[in-house]
């Protein structure tokens, strides 16, 4: 279990002594790029709506946080890898080693670039400055691959933050480079026990414990904290959802997207100075739509599945295919299902105390400068059923990433207890990750990345139980619904 005891004191010391760098990790989290406000931003007029293209540029080119490491470190990180990977990298070129690092840590090339193989160029998931400093951005969790194709806004179901941080720290120690808060903080705080998931709560609500409502830094660590892993949701749901996060407690707004920049260096003035930037980021998120299913579908079977879906699933997940986008947005019910009814893992719901949500509701993040503050649900009773646009492209499923395919979502009793990913390609039969079911995690394997590639649903916060509604369908009906889900 990841529930912290004495680790709370360690977290407090690291945060308040300015030795911890959060990444933007939580569902719909947004923050990543330079550390200090600049004069240009201070003189810019208020942006009313925002420019999606500028939002993307800011996420990929502007570092709102201190740098995590530099190009020298990433080019030497192979020396911290286990054999035989280390010997393979030693025999390769620098460009090939960079490609190996991308593959090991779940990084992807930027889709707008066409890098010369085997050099992957700049990663989508990091801002890389002209002098070679790497700073994590929001695409670390929300910029993955779909059927092997880098796709901004898709969940990064391969991100290996804990493994990467450990090996970066080891490399810095070996070559004599200074440690950052991320390097030191990860010795105390788990960043993610399974590749593709992250301990997201600590980076958002956790850091709010060290601020007052005016975002001034205070020395008041949380009385308790529950560490657990989360799966990032797809950003193409953002335009439909009036509230964000799996429990839907926070009303959507551009200020809320800045919550994950709460490093000690960023004082209250920093947030006001960079508010315009996040109006652009908000516009970018709002512009995203899911990719189309890349394989043939059975139109007749999908039509049957559509009728079954609307009869059995639409009350929670909404309906699709309306004439206008406004109608599609209106057809999403934003329905919160009580935890006792949905039956999925309850750890995420219970990890956020009502006092923390209440504090958020009174902070600058929830006050958008209008007559009234935004609405915050202080005591949500369960999880909000998400939209299913692009469901085929957003594996794995459930808020903790415990279910690898849509077929397994529809077959609750056949969900694997322990599984690991075998390919970046989509499984076209089960629609989701290509996985292998195994009897145990290979703890004897010396490569920690191999061990963390296994998802063990028996662990704390990782249950694949619940959402048994598909049991009312026959096998043929499930097949039809699965076909329909490909078309969303």
């Amino acid at each position: 279990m990841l529930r912290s005891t004495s680790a709370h004191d360690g977290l407090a010391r690291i945060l308040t002594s300015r030795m911890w760098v959060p990444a933007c990790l939580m569902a719909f989290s947004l923050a990543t790029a330079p550390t200090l406000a600049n004069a240009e931003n201070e003189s810019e007029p208020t942006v009313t709506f925002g420019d999606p293209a500028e939002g993307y540029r800011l996420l990929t080119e502007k570092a709102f946080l201190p740098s995590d490491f530099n190009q020298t470190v990433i080019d030497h990180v192979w020396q911290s890898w286990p054999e035989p990977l280390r010997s393979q990298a030693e025999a390769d070129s620098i460009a090939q080693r960079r490609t190996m690092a991308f593959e090991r840590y779940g990084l992807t090339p930027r889709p707008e670039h066409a890098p010369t193989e085997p050099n992957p160029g700049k990663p989508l998931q990091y801002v890389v400055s002209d002098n070679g400093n790497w700073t994590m951005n929001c695409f670390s969790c929300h910029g993955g691959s779909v059927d092997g194709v880098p796709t901004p806004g898709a969940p990064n179901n391969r991100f290996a933050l804990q493994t990467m941080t450990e090996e970066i720290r080891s490399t810095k120690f070996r070559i004599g480079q200074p440690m950052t808060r991320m390097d030191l903080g990860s010795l105390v705080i788990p960043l993610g026990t399974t590749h593709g998931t992250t301990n997201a709560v600590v980076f958002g609500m956790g850091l709010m414990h060290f601020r007052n409502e005016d975002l001034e830094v205070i020395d008041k660590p949380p009385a308790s904290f529950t560490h657990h892993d989360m799966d990032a949701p797809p950003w193409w749901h953002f335009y439909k959802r009036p509230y964000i996060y799996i429990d839907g407690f926070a009303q959507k707004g551009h200020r809320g997207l800045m919550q994950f920049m709460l490093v000690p260096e960023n004082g209250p003035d920093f947030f006001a100075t960079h508010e315009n930037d996040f109006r652009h980021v908000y516009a970018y998120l709002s512009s995203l739509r899911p990719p189309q299913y890349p394989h043939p579908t059975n139109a007749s079977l999908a039509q049957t599945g559509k009728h079954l879906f609307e009869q059995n699933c639409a009350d929670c997940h909404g309906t699709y295919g309306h004439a206008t986008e406004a109608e599609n947005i209106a057809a999403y019910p934003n329905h919160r299902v009580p935890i006792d009814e949905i039956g999925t893992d309850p750890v995420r719901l219970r990890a956020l105390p009502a006092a923390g949500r209440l504090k958020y509701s009174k902070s600058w993040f929830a006050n958008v400068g209008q007559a009234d503050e935004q609405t915050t649900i202080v005591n949500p009773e369960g999880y909000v059923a998400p939209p299913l646009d692009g469901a085929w492209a957003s594996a794995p499923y459930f808020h903790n990433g415990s279910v690898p395919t849509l077929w397994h979502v529809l077959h609750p009793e056949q969900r694997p207890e322990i599984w690991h990913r075998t390919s970046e390609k989509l499984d076209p039969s089960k629609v989701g990750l290509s996985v292998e079911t195994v009897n145990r995690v290979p703890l004897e394997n010396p490569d920690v990345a191999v061990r963390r590639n296994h998802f063990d649903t028996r662990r704390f916060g990782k249950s694949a139980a619940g959402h048994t509604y598909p049991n009312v369908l026959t096998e043929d009906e499930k097949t039809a619904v699965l076909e329909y889900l490909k078309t969303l």
Side-chain angles (χ1 to χ4, degrees):
M1 296 196 332
L2 295 176
R3 279 172 283 197
S4 174
T5 53
S6 60
H8 301 140
D9 296 333
L11 171 62
R13 288 194 297 272
I14 290 168
L15 283 168
T16 56
S17 64
R18 298 173 177 262
M19 294 173 65
W20 172 249
V21 178
C24 88
L25 298 170
M26 198 171 183
F28 295 117
S29 61
L30 273 176
T32 33
T35 57
L36 298 176
N38 58 50
E40 287 183 358
N41 280 340
E42 290 176 355
S43 61
E44 287 178 355
T46 297
V47 175
T48 304
F49 299 109
D51 175 12
E54 177 65 3
Y56 178 81
R57 187 196 69 79
L58 288 165
L59 288 175
T60 54
E61 299 296 338
K62 186 174 183 179
F64 295 103
L65 299 171
S67 173
D68 300 313
F69 50 87
N70 59 31
Q71 191 67 51
T72 299
V73 173
I74 199 69
D75 283 341
H76 285 80
V77 73
W78 63 270
Q79 297 173 357
S80 298
W81 295 346
E83 291 291 0
L85 198 61
R86 183 168 64 246
S87 293
Q88 178 186 340
E90 186 175 17
D92 282 339
S93 66
I94 291 177
Q96 289 168 326
R97 291 172 192 159
R98 290 176 180 173
T99 296
M100 292 174 69
F102 273 44
E103 293 173 351
R104 183 168 178 82
Y105 301 131
L107 308 180
T108 64
R110 298 183 182 181
E112 69 271 21
H113 295 159
T116 302
E117 293 296 340
N119 191 342
K122 291 182 179 181
L124 175 65
Q125 295 79 12
Y126 279 79
V127 175
V128 182
S129 68
D130 292 340
N131 61 357
N133 287 327
W134 284 46
T135 305
M136 186 182 295
N137 67 30
C138 301
F139 287 119
S140 293
C141 294
H142 299 277
S145 295
V146 176
D147 203 24
V149 179
T151 306
N156 190 354
N157 50 41
R158 295 177 53 248
F159 190 38
L161 179 59
Q162 182 71 35
T163 300
M164 185 179 188
T165 302
E166 290 170 353
E167 294 176 351
I168 288 291
R169 180 174 62 235
S170 175
T171 302
K172 287 180 177 178
F173 182 80
R174 180 181 299 106
I175 67 177
Q177 287 214 8
M179 302 293 170
T180 64
R181 285 180 298 274
M182 183 71 86
D183 302 318
L184 299 172
S186 61
L187 293 168
V188 180
I189 304 299
L191 302 178
T193 61
T194 304
H195 290 174
T197 63
T198 50
N199 180 11
V201 174
V202 71
F203 299 109
M205 295 298 290
L207 290 172
M208 272 296 290
H209 284 286
F210 297 91
R211 301 282 179 138
N212 62 21
E213 294 173 3
D214 296 322
L215 306 187
E216 297 168 329
V217 177
I218 58 175
D219 186 4
K220 186 179 181 182
S224 63
F225 208 86
T226 302
H227 297 297
H228 63 287
D229 292 346
M230 289 281 291
D231 177 52
W235 271 350
W236 53 71
H237 289 171
F238 187 81
Y239 83 103
K240 273 191 175 182
R241 297 194 60 176
Y243 289 76
I244 57 176
Y245 307 123
I246 186 61
D247 54 11
F249 86 90
Q251 188 174 346
K252 184 169 64 176
H254 68 277
R255 285 187 176 182
L257 301 178
M258 304 177 74
Q259 184 184 357
F260 301 87
M261 299 161 65
L262 286 170
V263 291
E265 290 89 343
N266 294 344
D269 291 344
F270 175 92
F271 294 90
T273 298
H274 291 277
E275 183 175 6
N276 271 352
D277 288 344
F278 280 82
R279 289 187 172 96
H280 296 303
V281 171
Y282 183 99
Y284 172 68
L285 263 69
S286 300
S287 74
L288 291 175
R289 301 295 181 270
Q292 290 189 338
Y293 187 71
H295 305 294
T297 58
N298 184 322
S300 175
L301 185 62
Q303 187 63 28
T304 300
K306 181 178 188 292
H307 294 313
L308 290 164
F309 180 92
E310 292 177 349
Q311 292 168 6
N312 295 277
C313 313
D315 284 350
C316 291
H317 292 289
T319 55
Y320 302 82
H322 299 279
T324 67
E325 190 161 89
E327 290 173 327
N328 278 308
I329 294 173
Y332 172 62
N334 192 48
H335 178 59
R336 185 180 293 104
V337 186
I339 191 65
D340 292 340
E341 178 185 336
I342 188 69
T344 51
D345 195 294
V347 170
R348 165 63 174 80
L349 183 67
R350 297 169 182 169
L352 300 185
R357 292 188 175 96
L358 181 62
K359 184 175 182 180
Y360 174 86
S361 74
K362 296 180 179 179
S363 73
W364 181 85
F365 297 121
N367 185 340
V368 294
Q370 298 172 349
D372 299 318
E373 293 182 348
Q374 291 184 331
T375 300
T376 303
I377 311 301
V378 176
N379 282 300
E381 72 280 10
Y383 298 135
V384 175
L388 296 181
D389 308 74
W392 67 270
S394 57
Y397 303 98
F398 293 3
H399 68 276
N400 57 5
S402 58
V403 181
T405 73
L406 287 174
W407 187 91
H408 289 107
V409 172
L410 294 170
H411 294 80
E413 281 71 36
Q414 298 184 58
R415 294 170 190 162
E417 186 172 73
I418 304 173
W419 53 270
H420 72 95
R421 187 171 182 163
T422 59
S423 171
E424 284 194 56
K425 286 295 187 179
L426 179 78
D427 180 337
S429 61
K430 288 186 167 62
V431 190
L433 303 183
S434 295
V435 300
E436 179 185 24
T437 300
V438 296
N439 294 324
R440 64 185 185 88
V441 177
L443 299 177
E444 72 283 358
N445 194 303
D447 190 346
V448 67
V450 173
R451 302 196 299 271
R452 288 179 181 147
N453 191 41
H454 288 71
F455 198 106
D456 187 346
T457 63
R458 301 170 301 175
R459 298 187 65 180
F460 180 73
K462 291 181 172 290
S463 171
H467 194 276
T468 59
Y469 309 111
N471 285 340
V472 302
L473 301 173
T474 67
E475 189 61 32
D476 287 344
E477 289 172 336
K478 291 179 182 181
T479 300
V481 170
L482 183 62
E483 194 71 10
Y484 174 61
L485 292 174
K486 298 176 185 177
T487 70
L488 299 186

